[in-house]
Amino acid sequence: MSGSWTDDILLKIANIVVYFLFLGSNVYTVATPHDIYFAGRDTYITPAPWAFLIWSLIHLLLLGTIIYQFTAPGKKVIIDGISWRFPLLGILNAIYVHLWASQHYIFAFVFSLFVSSAISHIYTVKKFHAPANVGDEVLVHLPFSLYHGWTTVLVIITAFQAFGVNAIYEPAGVWTKVFAFLALFFLEATAAAYAFSSPEGDLPASFAITWSLFAIFAHQNVHRSGFIHWSALAFALLSAFWVFIGTFGTYKRYRGASGSILLDEERAPLVGGEN
């Protein structure tokens, strides 16, 4: 029996309210008198400001998600599957952005971990719910894959802002270079893990990390630390290779799909056979 668009209306309204709270928190970082992307704590892992443009893409896609929840296929995934995890994610992200913008970096780092945990729960949609149509693919899988990859980057960036040295005033010592190298390696390895997370790979999440690695390379110029600069480029190129692998996997998936998406036991729907 097909349901009405008013079914679970409380959760749908909560999703709308939290979406605009989430959007407003990021608009605040741009509208604030001191541009946080230029005036924030500059570390040896800080990316170029244009890296944060990925928020605009995520917001645009999530706007579609909010509209999609009022359709029958959208309700199955967003309301019945993701449920109250999205409002929780939005609230945690808004708190994180506020703390980060106000330069309370240690508290921001703690909340970045909460955000990472919340988006990881939602990410099960990608792992255990195969897209049944284009709406599922573009308005559920795509935004939350991007979000998951980008959140991984934010945790690393915020960790260096909370515990690392200020790149403007202090030169990069041995330990700073070691930890920066390990952070870059971790990001590249995570992009590789996304690429092999499924037969077709996870292109959006890998792209989010690759985009960020190139932004780190662009910002950490050779005059700061040649070692970090060239390490960032090397790992960005490796990550770009994983994006290529993800692209090729996606191409093979759609070429062999013959207009349908098959489910196996490991990719069973997130929501069981409940009415």
Side-chain angles (χ1 to χ4, degrees):
M1 185 174 78
S2 60
S4 168
W5 67 271
T6 58
D7 291 345
D8 299 291
I9 192 64
L10 180 62
L11 177 53
K12 292 175 180 177
I13 292 175
N15 284 339
I16 295 172
V17 172
V18 167
Y19 168 78
F20 284 103
L21 173 67
F22 169 42
L23 174 64
S25 67
N26 280 298
V27 170
Y28 166 77
T29 64
V30 177
T32 184
H34 59 286
D35 194 331
I36 189 61
Y37 297 126
F38 292 92
R41 184 180 177 88
D42 200 349
T43 73
Y44 286 97
I45 212 72
T46 299
W50 49 263
F52 295 91
L53 290 174
I54 200 169
W55 273 130
S56 300
L57 179 57
I58 292 173
H59 284 306
L60 179 62
L61 291 169
L62 287 178
L63 177 60
T65 305
I66 293 302
I67 298 172
Y68 187 54
Q69 69 176 337
F70 289 98
T71 68
K75 178 183 180 298
K76 181 179 180 181
V77 183
I78 300 166
I79 302 301
D80 299 335
I82 296 174
S83 187
W84 288 92
R85 296 181 185 91
F86 181 72
L88 175 62
L89 172 66
I91 292 171
L92 290 172
N93 201 106
I95 295 172
Y96 161 74
V97 170
H98 174 74
L99 291 170
W100 183 76
S102 58
Q103 302 185 9
H104 294 93
Y105 293 120
I106 293 179
F107 292 111
F109 171 69
V110 172
F111 271 89
S112 73
L113 297 177
F114 292 154
V115 172
S116 179
S117 176
I119 187 63
S120 293
H121 280 283
I122 295 177
Y123 191 69
T124 56
V125 172
K126 176 67 176 176
K127 295 185 66 176
F128 300 114
H129 177 87
N133 51 54
V134 176
D136 283 0
E137 188 71 66
V138 176
L139 301 177
V140 179
H141 287 236
L142 178 57
F144 288 118
S145 287
L146 271 174
Y147 205 153
H148 197 259
W150 175 236
T151 301
T152 303
V153 176
L154 291 179
V155 170
I156 297 297
I157 292 173
T158 312
F160 272 77
Q161 290 178 317
F163 307 109
V165 300
N166 192 318
I168 296 177
Y169 304 111
E170 299 183 47
V174 174
W175 285 111
T176 296
K177 293 178 181 179
V178 168
F179 283 116
F181 182 86
L182 291 175
L184 294 169
F185 172 74
F186 170 76
L187 290 175
E188 181 273 329
T190 303
Y194 282 129
F196 294 103
S197 63
S198 62
E200 70 275 7
D202 191 333
L203 177 60
S206 291
F207 170 78
I209 292 179
T210 303
W211 170 269
S212 304
L213 285 170
F214 276 109
I216 293 171
F217 162 70
H219 188 68
Q220 303 300 327
N221 59 63
V222 70
H223 301 293
R224 281 188 172 188
S225 172
F227 175 76
I228 295 175
H229 175 76
W230 296 117
S231 294
L233 176 61
F235 285 122
L237 292 174
L238 280 172
S239 185
F241 174 73
W242 305 128
V243 170
F244 171 78
I245 294 297
T247 303
F248 184 67
T250 301
Y251 169 76
K252 287 199 305 180
R253 170 188 171 190
Y254 281 103
R255 184 176 181 116
S258 299
S260 64
I261 298 175
L262 301 179
L263 299 177
D264 55 34
E265 291 181 0
E266 292 183 0
R267 302 195 66 176
L270 181 65
V271 183
E274 298 176 0
N275 293 328

